Structure formats: structure tokens, C-alpha cells
């Protein structure tokens, strides 16, 4: 991929990512994630997720400065994710990565290009808005403390049992998850292979922290928890919590979330967080009732790229 003339730093080189660039890309992601308080990605995530849609940027001296990829989505759009090393910010690298993604989408027939960043990452926010992206949705990060004295008890609805996840549950869990979130904004039905790659192989996974609710042999609810980052023993995260429509309104969601919080505490975590659509007021009220507070806002941007 050729150097982009729109970049501010003329010595930068932006080219297609190659497998040999894995270490350089991970170093950029690690530094950027630490500076921005965002999720780290393990090496497995790069090897599992990368296709042709990825670029890496270097300085004229050969230092890795930035990395980005963009994934095709179910609605013919692409999701852009990019990282710029803190030492090389405000030099045009972010704009160069975004331009590369826009060129790709334009050359492949055009469509929607989506991106996201946190409201307090002002540089990325300014870049997207300067490039003509608009906010289409906001998500909150909510967090709670898991103190030793906190009472975490909940009564399950009659006929419901809970247990931890087993590998043989995967196909049934994916089917339940697809149904639970079918009407949620941005939901994408996933097959077991894709779901496993995203939920198990590319993030911290402990099956003892995945709680499933059953009516007989059918999964009717889920609360999937884990460490926020690989190696993090203090900050837990709830990746998914949800209940099938037929069981909503019976207190199952609250019970599952309580079970998840208790499991995290029992495994030594002192905080728990989750993400929630800012327009899902029912869920937000539930989380607030369990002492969760909004601590951050994630902005979801979109731009139409013409062919």
C-alpha cells in the first residue's frame, strides 16, 4: 500500500499488514490501550481475526507507529478499529489509517464505514468528526465495587436452574444468544465458530465464570463474565448478560447478574464492569439497582463512503 499524501508526517509509511508484523502491531496496541484505558488484544486475536483488511504504519526510521483493521459486517458495512502509539500522536497517523480504510471501502463498491471511540479520547473523537463521521449510538461503561461485605443473593424463578458453562453447551448457547439479542441495536447473528473465536479464543475465558440458566435442558439466560484483560486479577468484566424473551419480567436477569457478580468476587475480583446501550433504559435501571454507575461513554460513529 502506497504512502498517503494526506498524512501530515511525510516520512510515514503505511502498508498492508503482514504476519511478520504481529509483534510490531501488538506493541502499538499495548501502548495505545494503556494510554487510553481500552482493552488489550492478545496475539491470538490478530492471527484469528486478520484477513486482507489491515494496515500498519511506520515512521521513516522504522518504528511502529500505528495499526488498524476493518471487519466486514452483516449489513454490508465495515467496522474500523485503529490504534496509534502515544509517542506518535498528532502527526497524522490516525488520519492515514482512516484514509486507507476509506479507500478500501470505496474501491470495493462503497458502503458504510463504522468506528468507535470513548468520549474522553479527544484526539480520536476530533479525527472522526473532522472526517465527516456522525455519532449514531452511545454505549455506557458501568462499574461496581465487589466488596467482601456486600450481600449478593438472588432468588431464581420457579423451574429455573443455573450452572457454569461446559464446552458441550456451545452450540445451544450460541443459538440462545442469537435469539436473546436479535432485536438489539447492532446485533449480528453468529455461527458457533465465529462466536467461539470472538468470545473464547480472543479474550480471557474462564468457564467457571460463565453462568447459564436452564429450564429443563434449554438455555434461557446467560451471564458471561471474565477478567477485563489477560492477566488482570482485580477487574472483572461481564461480556454478556441476557434472558430469552419468554422469561423476561420474572427477575431472571437480576438473578443471573447477581450470580455473575458473586462468581467474580469469589474468584478474587474487586470490581465488575459491563457495556450497555444508552437507550436501553430497562437494563440501565437494573444495573443501577445493583449499584453499578456510569463511568465512561463510548461513541459509535458512521460515515457513508461512495464508490
Amino acid at each position: 500500500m502506497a504512502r498517503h499524501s494526506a498524512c501530515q508526517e511525510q516520512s510515514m509509511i503505511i502498508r498492508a499488514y503482514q504476519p511478520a508484523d504481529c509483534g510490531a502491531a501488538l506493541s502499538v496496541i499495548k501502548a495505545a490501550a494503556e494510554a487510553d484505558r481500552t482493552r488489550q488484544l492478545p496475539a491470538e486475536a490478530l492471527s484469528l481475526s486478520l484477513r486482507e483488511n489491515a494496515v500498519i504504519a511506520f515512521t521513516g526510521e522504522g518504528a511502529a507507529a500505528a495499526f488498524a483493521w476493518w471487519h466486514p459486517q452483516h449489513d454490508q458495512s465495515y467496522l474500523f478499529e485503529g490504534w496509534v502509539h502515544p509517542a506518535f500522536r498528532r502527526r497524522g497517523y490516525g488520519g492515514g489509517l482512516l484514509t486507507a480504510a476509506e479507500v478500501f471501502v470505496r474501491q470495493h463498491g462503497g458502503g458504510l464505514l463504522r468506528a468507535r471511540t470513548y468520549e474522553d479520547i479527544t484526539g480520536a473523537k476530533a479525527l472522526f468528526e473532522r472526517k465527516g463521521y456522525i455519532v449514531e449510538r452511545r454505549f455506557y461503561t458501568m462499574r461496581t465495587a465487589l466488596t467482601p461485605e456486600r450481600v449478593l443473593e438472588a432468588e431464581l424463578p420457579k423451574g429455573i436452574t443455573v450452572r457454569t458453562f461446559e464446552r458441550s453447551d456451545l452450540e445451544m448457547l450460541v443459538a440462545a444468544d442469537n435469539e436473546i439479542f436479535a432485536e438489539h441495536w447492532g446485533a449480528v447473528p453468529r455461527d458457533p465458530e465465529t462466536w467461539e473465536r470472538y468470545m473464547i479464543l480472543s479474550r480471557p475465558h474462564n468457564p467457571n465464570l460463565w453462568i447459564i440458566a436452564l429450564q429443563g435442558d434449554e438455555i434461557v439466560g446467560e451471564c458471561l463474565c471474565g477478567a477485563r484483560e489477560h492477566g488482570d486479577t482485580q477487574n472483572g468484566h461481564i461480556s454478556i448478560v441476557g434472558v430469552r424473551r419468554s422469561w423476561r419480567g420474572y427477575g431472571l436477569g437480576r438473578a443471573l447478574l447477581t450470580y455473575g457478580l458473586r462468581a467474580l468476587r469469589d474468584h478474587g475480583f474487586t470490581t465488575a464492569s459491563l457495556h450497555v446501550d444508552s437507550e436501553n433504559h430497562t437494563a440501565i435501571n437494573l444495573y443501577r439497582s445493583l449499584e453499578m454507575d456510569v463511568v465512561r461513554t463510548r461513541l459509535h460513529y458512521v460515515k457513508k463512503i461512495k464508490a
Side-chain angles (χ1 to χ4, degrees):
M1 183 170 292
R3 189 180 303 168
H4 294 284
S5 60
C7 298
Q8 296 173 8
E9 187 163 293
Q10 296 303 313
S11 62
M12 75 170 62
I13 298 170
I14 299 178
R15 61 164 173 79
Y17 173 89
Q18 301 169 5
D21 298 322
C22 181
L26 286 173
S27 69
V28 169
I29 293 170
K30 183 176 187 297
E34 288 177 352
D36 297 332
R37 297 181 294 121
T38 56
R39 188 168 67 92
Q40 297 277 359
L41 290 180
E44 293 82 0
L46 266 67
S47 61
L48 287 165
S49 300
L50 282 177
R51 299 293 185 266
E52 61 184 275
N53 314 334
V55 291
I56 189 165
F58 294 91
T59 67
E61 293 73 35
F67 170 77
W69 57 23
W70 45 95
H71 302 289
Q73 306 294 292
H74 72 294
D75 60 354
Q76 308 304 311
S77 68
Y78 290 85
L79 175 62
F80 172 91
E81 294 183 285
W83 297 262
V84 179
H85 194 291
F88 302 109
R89 292 181 177 178
R90 299 186 181 278
R91 301 188 190 184
Y93 286 99
L97 298 178
L98 197 53
T99 296
E102 291 184 359
V103 168
F104 176 93
V105 175
R106 187 174 298 114
Q107 292 176 343
H108 287 76
L112 298 178
L113 184 58
R114 291 188 161 92
R116 56 196 181 189
T117 190
Y118 286 96
E119 197 168 42
D120 56 3
I121 304 178
T122 55
K125 181 173 179 284
L127 170 63
F128 291 133
E129 294 174 1
R130 186 169 65 249
K131 295 275 283 183
Y133 289 74
I134 61 171
V135 175
E136 61 175 343
R137 207 76 165 192
R138 289 174 169 81
F139 276 70
Y140 295 143
T141 301
M142 301 186 72
R143 184 178 299 143
T144 187
L146 300 175
T147 56
E149 66 276 7
R150 183 173 173 184
V151 177
L152 291 170
E153 300 290 342
E155 184 176 350
L156 289 169
K158 186 177 180 180
I160 297 296
T161 59
V162 297
R163 62 171 173 81
T164 55
F165 171 80
E166 298 173 0
R167 183 61 181 78
S168 58
D169 296 321
L170 182 62
E171 289 194 11
M172 185 167 57
L173 179 59
V174 173
D177 184 78
N178 283 335
E179 180 183 319
I180 289 168
F181 292 99
E183 298 176 359
H184 284 232
W185 181 86
V188 180
R190 290 179 284 191
D191 57 53
E193 180 183 0
T194 302
W195 204 90
E196 181 180 31
R197 184 170 67 244
Y198 180 72
M199 291 298 302
I200 296 178
L201 300 178
S202 66
R203 61 179 64 203
H205 173 63
N206 181 345
N208 294 320
L209 293 173
W210 280 23
I211 313 298
I212 57 175
L214 300 102
Q215 181 189 29
D217 295 328
E218 180 187 33
I219 294 178
V220 296
E222 57 184 337
C223 184
L224 311 184
C225 309
R228 182 177 178 272
E229 303 281 358
H230 285 275
D232 190 339
T233 60
Q234 298 297 310
N235 300 298
H237 186 72
I238 300 161
S239 298
I240 297 176
V241 58
V243 174
R244 285 187 190 264
R245 175 175 291 277
S246 59
W247 277 95
R248 293 173 191 169
Y250 294 93
L252 180 55
R254 182 183 185 85
L256 276 171
L257 187 54
T258 302
Y259 272 79
L261 293 173
R262 189 168 65 200
L264 286 169
R265 185 178 64 183
D266 289 347
H267 280 74
F269 293 97
T270 58
T271 71
S273 62
L274 52 72
H275 298 301
V276 60
D277 188 336
S278 66
E279 297 186 21
N280 189 344
H281 303 295
T282 299
I284 292 170
N285 289 337
L286 169 62
Y287 304 152
R288 287 192 188 280
S289 74
L290 286 168
E291 302 179 23
M292 304 194 84
D293 296 314
V294 174
V295 295
R296 213 172 187 194
T297 300
R298 189 174 68 198
L299 306 175
H300 289 240
Y301 287 93
V302 65
K303 179 180 178 180
K304 185 174 183 179
I305 307 297
K306 295 181 180 179

